[in-house]
Amino acid sequence: MASSKDSLTYEEVIERMDEAVARRVYWIAAVITALGGFLFGYDTGIIGSALIYVTPYFHLTPFEVAILTSFTSVFAGIGALVAGPFIDRYGRKVLLITDGVLYALFAFLSAIAITSIDLIIWRSLVGFAIGADTAVATGYISEFAPKRYRGRLAIWQQLMIFAGMTISFWAGFFLSHLPPSVNWRWMFGLGVIPAVILIALRFYLPESPRWLLIQGREEDAKKSLARLGIHVKEHIIPPKRELGFKEALSKPYVRRVILIIGLWLVFQQVTGVNIILYYGPYIYKYLGIVGPMAILYTAISESLGAFEYWLSYYLIDRWGRRLLGKVGYGGLFGSLILMTIGAYFFYHHMVWPAVYSIFSAATLFLFFFHIGVGGVGWVLQGETMPTEFRGRGGGILAAIDWFANFAIIYIFPLWLPVYGMFSFWILEDVLALAAVIYVFLLVPETKGLSVDKMPQLFSKPLLKIREGLKES
């Protein structure tokens, strides 16, 4: 629909947003939004250190270890699904603030748990908050980000996840010197501090202009746009209303987004990143490294990601998502082969060659995951769903990620005492090879493409989508 002198179409407003320069307010908003990623990283990563101490404290069986570790992911998947309709109906900002409250509450309750059942319940509900946050964070950033900066703004989510994970292992290392009866309580309880900071800062955020316009809230949208440095005086002709759930899933392009990006998020998890992170200290303990040193090995491997994520931040809007995915998943495959060799050494009672090989493989694995898999996956999750279905669609994709994570981390502690590590890493080798094939066959390039053009890209035939879409 053409605009008149006194009015603008929704598409013209979006074009102004897409072509804007990313001023300081954009970066501040992206970082504040991504603070939920910090809590995601800390609250999921700290279990790797705490598990060494809560296992003997509560006399946990391997089954209970699997439940305690994996149910966070189950409830994260549920949280993502529940959050989706809430996000589309009530807005992005309300959910972002609510998440902060849930993070603080359940981290505190985890720290004061009296029984193993208490701990499992509160840790699971921390997962609910994590899942809800992952349903909205990168989608919200993608909705206000200019298209040429979108990758760098949205990847702050993964930068913060990495920061939270890294700090969780160093906190676990230093707190492990406290008495075993209280050190794990401090590990869980420290998550309250960043959660309270997050709650305060998220009140600063503007609501998504795209969402406001879809809701018909023109004046609120103009105020939000003004905060982003885009001043609109004309009347804005409203866009189409949000898609109903059944209507959205009836559209081939929505189903293709769920299939293609959902597969990325599945492979992102089942190739084993959270086996290395959640169970890293547990694995080193299995190899014979005990106490704080078991945590230190994982802390060192993850800390090297500081350089790796900044490299991903630099490359994502230059190389694009597809090339980084090829490098990332290809590197995971190579590092998992080395991991399998380390497990082979251990199987033949060559302990120190096994430790060195597994430490090297874990460090190499995290290098490639940080550069081309983790952050890229969350960027794709946030930018590919249509705006009128982004909350619910992002929730579906986040839930896929979390349920895949649950499957692999639930299996590992049950597999380990029965079949050993060697066969488990063989399984991971096969999954990583499948991931490489998938990236080459299906993953498109979305760099520099407006989020409102994603339906056009994913409307192409399945095996043609990887060819991308050139903007006119």
Side-chain angles (χ1 to χ4, degrees):
M1 180 176 181
S3 64
S4 69
K5 182 179 178 180
D6 298 320
S7 64
L8 292 174
T9 63
Y10 169 80
E11 290 74 18
E12 288 172 319
V13 175
I14 294 308
E15 185 175 359
R16 290 190 187 185
M17 293 179 65
D18 279 338
E19 300 302 328
V21 174
R23 298 160 64 244
R24 183 172 63 177
V25 66
Y26 288 86
W27 302 101
I28 293 172
V31 171
I32 292 173
T33 304
L35 284 173
F38 179 91
L39 287 164
F40 166 177
Y42 183 88
D43 285 330
T44 56
I46 199 62
I47 193 64
S49 301
L51 204 57
I52 294 177
Y53 301 101
V54 297
T55 300
Y57 184 87
F58 289 116
H59 307 290
L60 301 180
T61 65
F63 174 73
E64 289 171 321
V65 168
I67 293 295
L68 175 61
T69 309
S70 65
F71 265 39
T72 303
S73 297
V74 172
F75 276 77
I78 295 169
L81 291 174
V82 170
F86 185 96
I87 295 162
D88 281 336
R89 180 165 185 176
Y90 298 106
R92 285 51 167 152
K93 182 175 177 177
V94 172
L95 193 279
L96 288 167
I97 294 169
T98 304
D99 277 345
V101 176
L102 296 178
Y103 272 127
L105 175 63
F106 296 130
F108 174 74
L109 291 172
S110 296
I112 63 171
I114 297 173
T115 69
S116 60
I117 299 299
D118 293 336
L119 185 59
I120 288 170
I121 290 171
W122 303 131
R123 283 287 303 168
S124 297
L125 290 173
V126 166
F128 187 90
I130 293 169
D133 206 81
T134 56
V136 66
T138 54
Y140 167 74
I141 294 171
S142 295
E143 285 186 348
F144 70 72
K147 62 184 180 182
R148 56 185 162 161
Y149 301 97
R150 191 174 64 245
R152 280 169 286 172
L153 287 165
I155 208 169
W156 269 100
Q157 170 77 354
Q158 189 67 25
L159 287 167
M160 286 293 184
I161 295 172
F162 154 74
M165 280 273 188
T166 303
I167 288 175
S168 78
F169 285 110
W170 285 109
F173 172 70
F174 288 111
L175 290 172
S176 64
H177 294 86
L178 295 175
S181 60
V182 297
N183 58 12
W184 61 270
R185 296 186 185 278
W186 281 100
M187 292 176 193
F188 291 134
L190 280 180
V192 175
I193 297 173
V196 171
I197 295 171
L198 176 148
I199 295 166
L201 291 178
R202 281 184 167 177
F203 279 97
Y204 167 84
L205 295 172
E207 183 53 270
S208 163
R210 277 181 164 93
W211 178 79
L212 288 168
L213 289 171
I214 285 175
Q215 297 300 310
R217 293 167 56 180
E218 180 182 349
E219 292 306 314
D220 289 335
K222 287 180 178 179
K223 291 176 184 177
S224 185
L225 287 165
R227 291 188 62 187
L228 297 171
I230 301 169
H231 299 279
V232 178
K233 295 182 179 179
E234 299 93 339
H235 166 63
I236 302 173
I237 300 169
K240 59 185 178 182
R241 301 287 291 181
E242 65 184 40
L243 291 173
F245 194 84
K246 290 184 179 179
E247 181 188 2
L249 293 182
S250 71
K251 295 183 179 296
Y253 71 82
V254 172
R255 296 199 300 270
R256 286 172 188 150
V257 170
I258 292 172
L259 172 64
I260 295 173
I261 308 306
L263 276 173
W264 182 296
L265 296 170
V266 168
F267 283 124
Q268 177 174 296
Q269 297 299 336
V270 300
T271 46
V273 62
N274 287 324
I275 301 301
I276 292 171
L277 292 174
Y278 296 1
Y279 292 115
Y282 194 79
I283 290 170
Y284 289 117
K285 184 179 178 182
Y286 180 81
L287 296 174
I289 309 298
V290 297
M293 290 302 296
I295 301 172
L296 182 62
Y297 276 90
T298 305
I300 292 170
S301 293
E302 176 68 352
S303 296
L304 296 175
F307 163 74
E308 296 153 12
Y309 268 126
W310 283 110
L311 185 58
S312 181
Y313 173 85
Y314 176 79
L315 293 175
I316 191 164
D317 285 324
R318 291 173 172 84
W319 285 17
R321 289 57 156 162
R322 179 175 166 82
L323 179 55
L324 282 178
K326 292 178 181 178
V327 172
Y329 277 116
L332 295 195
F333 177 64
S335 61
L336 286 169
I337 294 294
L338 180 58
M339 187 76 76
T340 308
I341 292 170
Y344 178 82
F345 286 146
F346 184 73
Y347 180 76
H348 288 278
H349 309 292
M350 294 182 281
V351 175
W352 283 106
V355 171
Y356 294 141
S357 296
I358 287 172
F359 173 77
S360 299
T363 303
L364 190 63
F365 181 102
L366 292 173
F367 173 84
F368 285 106
F369 184 87
H370 292 157
I371 286 178
V373 177
V376 179
W378 288 115
V379 170
L380 287 167
Q381 178 252 3
E383 69 184 4
T384 48
M385 281 291 176
T387 301
E388 60 271 21
F389 191 64
R390 185 159 290 116
R392 286 159 294 169
I396 291 169
L397 291 173
I400 289 170
D401 177 275
W402 284 112
F403 290 139
N405 186 33
F406 160 73
I408 201 71
I409 65 176
Y410 177 78
I411 289 169
F412 180 73
L414 302 177
W415 185 299
L416 193 62
V418 178
Y419 303 110
M421 272 199 303
F422 180 69
S423 60
F424 183 82
W425 295 119
I426 290 288
L427 169 65
E428 294 288 40
D429 293 338
V430 173
L431 292 171
L433 179 60
V436 173
I437 295 169
Y438 145 78
V439 172
F440 275 84
L441 286 181
L442 291 178
V443 174
E445 184 51 72
T446 58
K447 178 188 74 171
L449 192 66
S450 171
V451 294
D452 292 275
K453 290 289 184 71
M454 296 297 172
Q456 185 180 343
L457 169 62
F458 284 92
S459 292
K460 299 174 71 173
L462 190 60
L463 293 179
K464 295 286 186 180
I465 288 174
R466 71 179 184 273
E467 298 172 4
L469 182 69
K470 293 182 180 180
E471 293 223 68
S472 57

